[in-house]
Amino acid sequence: MTTPRSLSNCLAPAKLNLFLHVTGRRADGYHLLQTVFQLLDHGDRLHFTLRDDGVLRRMNPFPGVSEDEDLVLRAARLLKQQGVIRGCAAAGTWGADIALEKCLPMGGGLGGGSSDAATTLIGLNHLWQAGLTREQLMELGVQLGADVPFFLFGHNAFAEGIGEQMQAVETPDCWYVVIEPGVMVPTPAIFSAKDLTRDTKHVTIADFSSSPTSRFGKNDLQEVAASLYPEIADAIEWLRAHGAARMTGSGACVFCAMETEHAAQQVVQSVPTHWKAWSARALRQHPMAAFLSNQATT
Ligand code: C5P
């Protein structure tokens, strides 16, 4: 089978944290969590074109973001470096032009940057025929951010640890309304807040599966984020009229589950115009799951 020279329109899906409990803190300052990650059919899009000269290029870099901070380039460099470490003869020539159509807000709690990095690892692992398994990609992913391994896992997940220990979980086939309150939340500031509670009791995957999903648990980061950013509190308050509204991740976005696409679209149309809002369907699997392999090919 010949490998293509390019991969276009690769979705980097958004995620929601259906609940997010902070259960402790590690010695290195990272927090121990329990959460359910839900994939959505809405996200950024990436386009990859092979180069044989070893050059890695972002076609439309973000203004003000250096190459060393760009998660897409960092993911590509990490995979290439891994190829060299593994003694892959062609790794020195691995290159790509990468274009990113950004749709997900930064500091939104939707995992946009992490998902871009994961889609880059999946896309380039395929184009370069690097042959890394899903587990090997996840080991690289965690070096880029705590949420990256989830996007490489390929399935909705009940996650623990700092988010890297995952079990596949079934979630309802429904629609979500998402409101972007228009503020960018710095994740470290929320996690380091003095008022954050870090001792929520442990739950099990069975507890989650036996309860009504949208009302299970809470988001422990919500109170801190909403008190620092009143726009988040306002958006939750507004969305509450339509169901159990909650913040995702460390914010700023808030969401609410709907049974049908029609119901979701009706809510989106009534959202006050100073907020951006959209609806998305719950996905069962990552759109690029077919490119993830459990078996080494090299
Ligand atoms: O890994 P990521 O870049 O997503 O995390 C950003 C910051 O959020 C970390 O530097 C850390 O301060 C905080 N964080 C945490 N515990 C986690 C995830 C993130 O304290 N489980």
Side-chain angles (χ1 to χ4, degrees):
M1 196 183 77
T2 55
T3 308
R5 299 276 313 164
S6 64
L7 276 179
S8 299
N9 272 317
C10 300
L11 188 65
K15 59 85 177 161
L16 294 176
N17 295 94
L18 298 186
F19 74 92
L20 194 163
H21 293 169
V22 180
T23 57
R25 199 177 199 173
R26 293 198 317 201
D28 66 0
Y30 262 77
H31 288 76
L32 295 169
L33 312 173
Q34 286 195 305
T35 188
V36 163
F37 286 116
Q38 170 68 59
L39 292 161
L40 298 181
D41 74 343
H42 177 95
D44 297 337
R45 298 225 165 239
L46 285 121
H47 312 274
F48 306 95
T49 306
L50 272 187
R51 299 175 63 109
D52 302 321
D53 58 3
V55 173
L56 289 167
R57 198 163 57 143
R58 256 296 299 278
M59 303 311 286
N60 50 351
F62 298 128
V65 177
S66 75
E67 289 204 345
D68 290 341
E69 292 166 321
D70 184 312
L71 269 181
V72 165
L73 268 184
R74 285 179 54 205
R77 285 176 181 169
L78 196 60
L79 182 63
K80 180 167 163 154
Q81 190 185 45
Q82 191 61 24
V84 174
I85 292 168
R86 287 156 54 94
C88 205
T93 67
W94 288 350
D97 287 338
I98 310 170
L100 169 60
E101 284 176 55
K102 197 74 192 153
C103 168
L104 301 174
M106 298 198 208
L110 299 167
S114 302
S115 191
D116 296 341
T119 290
T120 300
L121 290 174
I122 299 169
L124 292 180
N125 188 47
H126 179 71
L127 281 180
W128 290 339
Q129 298 183 278
L132 269 68
T133 63
R134 175 214 313 254
E135 281 69 26
Q136 288 166 334
L137 291 176
M138 286 169 71
E139 278 166 31
L140 292 188
V142 76
Q143 299 172 40
L144 298 166
D147 289 346
V148 180
F150 161 64
F151 290 104
L152 297 160
F153 183 64
H155 197 283
N156 298 318
F158 180 86
E160 299 180 277
I162 61 163
E164 85 295 10
Q165 299 162 21
M166 281 171 281
Q167 298 172 67
V169 70
E170 294 306 319
T171 57
D173 177 15
C174 64
W175 290 77
Y176 288 96
V177 172
V178 177
I179 296 181
E180 300 180 13
V183 289
M184 191 171 145
V185 178
T187 303
I190 304 299
F191 273 110
S192 60
K194 191 168 63 51
D195 295 338
L196 178 67
T197 57
R198 300 175 171 89
D199 58 357
T200 296
K201 226 169 93 264
H202 273 83
V203 294
T204 64
I205 192 166
D207 294 333
F208 170 77
S209 301
S210 60
S211 306
T213 308
S214 60
R215 300 197 183 265
F216 181 81
K218 56 194 166 46
N219 181 341
D220 283 329
L221 305 179
Q222 183 172 307
E223 209 174 297
V224 171
S227 70
L228 287 173
Y229 298 93
E231 296 88 340
I232 297 176
D234 293 347
I236 292 170
E237 193 51 39
W238 185 90
L239 199 51
R240 249 189 208 133
H242 300 278
R246 191 170 277 179
M247 189 180 84
T248 175
S250 54
C253 293
V254 305
F255 66 95
C256 179
M258 297 283 146
E259 273 185 28
T260 64
E261 179 176 18
H262 180 70
Q265 283 175 350
Q266 281 203 314
V267 175
V268 167
Q269 277 160 21
S270 63
V271 169
T273 51
H274 57 279
W275 290 323
K276 190 172 165 195
W278 39 272
S279 63
R281 189 172 192 162
L283 287 177
R284 281 198 76 227
Q285 281 211 319
H286 193 288
M288 296 188 71
F291 290 105
L292 290 164
S293 164
N294 290 325
Q295 270 161 19
T297 53
T298 54

